[in-house]
């Protein structure tokens, strides 16, 4: 049975049970819905991770790398400039160094080289590399792989992006999405694929003396940062990675947590995505991702502190540029009446291409439709970044428009492309014609609600019961609850007052505290209100109490 309520921002969807009598029943209901995961959901163990050798190409990749190790040849790890790419690079560099390898790395420059393999970089690396291993990229590098083949340099591609029709000519390709791959779990981050490669290589080399446990916090960070679903193997990786964060031997991770005000003892998945990841990403967005990689490889506390402080400053600068670009995009959308198109497609010549992905995400959330944001270069070629909504595979839509694109790639929910400026309007119109055939309800933001709860159940003990479901994230969202209150006070928070601290009274007279980010509930003061919220814990001066994190509201 399905019940719906129109909230201020979302359509709330309920499934039975609509009324939560106690949190034990709520947990039972959630676990029944995900019974296919069984014990893997409640008690994920590292022993449950699937055998890396199930992955197509893994045997060839391991054998080739082992041979180069024996020959003491130079191995180059070729990564990407986002968090997943830089972390994956750090994982393999650290592991191969422990194996005694001569290993270097290359992260492309976002502004001069762009995403993926680059022709000039391949020609340069071919002069000194005995083997090149890609992480989080390479699956579309057909022409670049051919350069290495002609120079007789073996190329191993490890990637997790969607597979194009034509694959590069490489010594081995390890990607769970390629046809014929027997890997049982497909939704791995690029870093998790790199970890699988390390696990397989360690076994092949017989190096049980090398512990991979210290790498798990890095893999957990990349998994959350790349918005991989926190189910199956990803849930295992993130849960154990968070546990091991508390004892990480890596000075860089400790320093990053320090500047981000993240407590290693209580670190949660939200800290990875909203505190650590943006600071690592800032380097590649504004300058060069090598700064982030240097921090991840740093083992000296003093040096790590300096590097982390630099990344923190870059992140502050990134925020300012992002906020300005978002406002400029809003103006552009209004002036050109672009909201009438199903996908938002905006472009300007003076936008920093390092932030357009974040801007696309902001526009997608605000208008709840796919957003494509383009930074036009001096050469007349625009670099674009896409963010989509559930139910719309943006990469598939780009593929239909491939004839007017200079290149594209990515995931169903996030993708990138290059396009000549004269084709931008054509792209907007063609995507609109494609998407206007989609059911209108796809463009209506929805909120899955666990059910209605009696306010007296909103206790610290109830919140502790929910911890069995952590870590929370995409695919394993924290339960959203609904309850009736009377709103008696609102205090505006934040430098611009865009957040609200709420004082609430339930029908039995109990008082509750709530926080509503980027929402103004001032007009609802002294009125009955139906809140959709997540139950959290607020701690101050050694005292803790339940706090309702408001997602949406409706008149009570």
């Amino acid at each position: 049975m399905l019940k719906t309520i129109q909230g201020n921002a979302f359509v709330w969807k309920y499934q039975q049970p609509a009324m939560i009598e106690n949190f034990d029943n709520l947990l039972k209901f959630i676990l029944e819905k995900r019974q296919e995961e069984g014990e893997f959901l409640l008690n994920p163990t590292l022993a449950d991770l699937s055998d890396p050798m199930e992955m197509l190409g893994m045997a060839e990749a391991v054998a080739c790398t082992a041979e180069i190790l024996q020959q003491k040849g130079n191995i180059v790890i070729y990564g990407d400039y986002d968090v997943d790419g830089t972390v994956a690079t750090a994982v393999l560099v650290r592991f191969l160094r422990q194996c005694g390898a001569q290993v270097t790395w290359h992260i492309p420059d976002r502004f001069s080289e762009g995403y993926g393999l680059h022709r000039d970089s391949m020609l340069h690396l071919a002069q000194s590399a005995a083997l090149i291993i890609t992480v989080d990229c390479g699956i579309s590098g057909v022409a670049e792989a051919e350069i290495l083949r002609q120079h007789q340099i073996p190329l191993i591609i490890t990637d997790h992006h969607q597979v194009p029709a034509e694959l590069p000519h490489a010594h081995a390709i390890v990607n769970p999405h390629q046809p014929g791959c027997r890997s049982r779990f497909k939704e791995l981050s690029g870093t998790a694929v790199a970890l699988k490669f390390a696990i397989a290589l360690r076994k092949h080399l017989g190096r049980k003396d090398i512990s991979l446990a210290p790498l798990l916090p890095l893999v957990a960070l990349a998994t959350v940062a790349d918005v991989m679903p926190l189910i199956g193997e990803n849930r295992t990786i993130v849960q154990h990675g968070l546990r091991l964060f508390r004892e990480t031997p890596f000075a860089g991770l400790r320093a990053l947590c320090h500047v981000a005000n993240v407590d290693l003892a209580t670190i949660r998945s939200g800290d990875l995505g909203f505190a650590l990841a943006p600071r690592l990403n800032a380097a590649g967005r504004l300058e060069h991702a090598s700064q982030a990689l240097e921090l991840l490889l740093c083992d000296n506390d003093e040096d790590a502190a300096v590097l982390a402080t630099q990344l923190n400053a870059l992140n502050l600068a990134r925020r300012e540029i992002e906020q300005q670009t978002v406002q400029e995009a809003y103006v552009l959308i209004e002036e050109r009446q672009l909201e009438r198109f199903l996908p938002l497609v905006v472009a300007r010549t003076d936008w920093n291409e390092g932030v357009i992905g974040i801007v696309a995400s902001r526009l997608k959330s605000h208008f709840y439709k796919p957003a494509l944001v383009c930074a036009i270069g001096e050469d007349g070629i625009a670099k674009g970044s896409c963010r989509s909504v559930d139910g719309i595979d943006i990469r598939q839509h780009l593929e239909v428009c491939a004839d007017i694109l200079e290149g594209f790639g990515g995931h169903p929910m996030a993708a990138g492309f290059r396009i000549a400026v004269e084709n931008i309007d054509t792209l907007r119109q063609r995507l609109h014609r494609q998407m206007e055939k989609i059911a209108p309800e796809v463009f209506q933001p929805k909120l899955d609600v666990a059910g209605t709860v009696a306010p007296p159940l909103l206790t610290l003990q109830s919140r502790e019961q929910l911890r069995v479901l952590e870590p929370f994230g995409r695919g394993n969202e924290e339960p959203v609850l609904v309850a009736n209150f009377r709103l008696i006070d609102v205090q505006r928070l934040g430098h611009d007052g865009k957040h609200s601290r709420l004082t609430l009274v339930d029908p039995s007279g109990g008082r509750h505290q709530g926080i509503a980010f980027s929402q103004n509930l001032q007009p609802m003061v002294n009125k009955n209100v139906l809140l959709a919220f997540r139950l959290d814990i607020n701690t101050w001066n050694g005292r803790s109490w339940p706090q309702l994190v408001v997602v949406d509201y409706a008149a009570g």
Side-chain angles (χ1 to χ4, degrees), residues 81-141:
Y81 41 66
D82 69 356
V83 174
D84 195 16
T86 52
V87 174
T89 304
V91 163
L92 279 196
V93 168
R94 282 190 172 279
F95 171 69
L96 289 172
R97 282 177 177 172
Q98 285 187 284
C99 294
Q102 179 181 331
V103 56
T104 56
W105 49 266
H106 179 84
I107 300 286
D109 181 89
R110 180 190 293 268
F111 306 100
S112 62
E113 296 174 84
Y115 172 77
L117 307 185
H118 190 265
R119 177 182 179 278
D120 290 344
S121 298
M122 294 296 101
L123 288 171
H124 174 72
L125 294 173
Q127 305 305 312
S128 59
L131 168 66
I132 295 177
I133 304 173
T134 75
V135 289
D136 191 37
C137 65
I139 198 64
S140 300

Side-chain angles (χ1 to χ4, degrees), residues 485-488 502-506 510-512 514 529 531 548:
F485 301 93
R486 187 166 186 82
L487 179 59
I488 61 172
L502 315 177
T503 302
L504 306 148
V505 175
D506 68 44
R511 294 172 71 93
H512 306 265
V529 61
L531 293 185
L548 315 184

Side-chain angles (χ1 to χ4, degrees), residues 157-425:
I157 294 173
T158 74
D159 202 347
H160 73 133
H161 293 92
Q162 296 298 311
V163 175
E166 182 182 4
L167 291 174
H169 191 290
H171 184 88
I173 296 177
V174 180
N175 183 327
H177 295 292
Q178 64 178 317
C181 182
R182 296 185 297 111
S183 177
R184 286 171 284 166
F185 189 76
K186 305 290 186 181
E187 300 303 317
L188 296 168
S189 66
T191 304
V193 175
L195 176 69
K196 292 269 189 174
F197 172 73
I199 293 171
L201 182 57
R202 184 183 73 156
K203 183 175 181 180
H204 181 88
L205 297 173
R207 294 297 304 270
K208 291 183 179 180
D209 57 304
I210 299 177
S211 174
L212 296 177
L215 300 177
L216 282 176
L218 291 171
V219 187
L221 171 56
T223 299
V224 173
D226 222 42
V227 202
M228 294 292 104
L230 296 191
I231 59 175
E233 297 195 17
N234 286 339
R235 176 175 170 77
T236 302
I237 289 169
V238 174
Q239 187 176 88
H240 288 276
L242 286 170
R243 174 177 57 83
L244 291 166
F245 245 102
R246 297 159 195 160
E247 53 194 61
T248 179
F250 302 149
L253 277 185
R254 294 195 300 270
L256 183 63
C257 288
H258 178 73
V259 297
N261 294 315
V262 171
D263 186 349
L264 284 169
T266 59
I267 190 168
R268 297 163 68 178
S269 56
D271 296 320
L272 305 184
F274 297 111
L276 304 188
R279 287 167 170 80
L280 291 175
N281 249 334
R285 292 190 186 283
L286 299 189
E287 294 186 0
H288 198 288
S290 60
Q291 297 173 45
L293 181 56
E294 287 170 6
L295 176 67
L296 295 173
L297 294 175
C298 182
D299 291 320
N300 178 278
D301 287 329
E302 292 183 4
D303 292 342
V306 172
L307 290 167
T309 300
Q310 292 172 351
L311 289 186
N312 198 49
L314 282 175
N315 190 51
L316 292 173
R318 185 272 305 169
R319 286 182 188 171
E320 293 182 5
I321 296 171
E322 171 202 330
Q323 291 170 0
Q324 178 181 343
T325 307
V326 168
Q327 292 305 314
E328 291 171 350
Y330 284 149
V331 171
L332 194 59
I333 290 167
E334 183 177 357
E335 288 179 347
R336 296 193 57 189
Q337 299 180 323
L338 297 179
E339 192 178 350
R340 70 185 189 274
F341 293 96
L342 279 178
L344 288 168
V345 182
V346 292
R348 267 182 58 158
T349 55
D350 56 349
W351 280 346
N352 186 315
E353 66 185 73
V355 303
I356 57 176
I358 314 175
V359 174
S361 183
R362 297 283 185 268
L363 296 180
K364 180 265 294 188
S365 297
H366 182 80
F367 294 97
Y368 203 75
K369 60 175 68 177
L372 293 78
V373 180
C374 307
I376 301 172
E378 295 180 358
D379 58 356
I381 299 296
K383 292 182 179 179
S385 188
C386 319
R387 296 295 184 271
S388 193
V389 298
D390 288 335
I392 299 180
D393 184 337
I394 192 63
R395 188 189 182 282
Q396 192 174 68
H397 283 279
L398 289 178
E399 193 165 2
V400 178
C401 301
D403 59 304
I404 59 171
L405 300 177
E406 302 297 314
F408 69 95
H411 304 290
M413 297 295 289
F417 63 95
R418 297 171 64 251
I419 186 171
V421 65
E422 60 267 21
N423 288 329
I424 292 176
D425 286 338

Side-chain angles (χ1 to χ4, degrees), residues 489-507:
D489 186 53
V490 173
Q491 294 182 12
R492 308 296 288 154
L493 302 176
H495 71 279
D496 52 1
K498 68 177 182 178
H499 310 309
S500 300
R501 176 180 289 151
L502 315 177
T503 302
L504 306 148
V505 175
D506 68 44

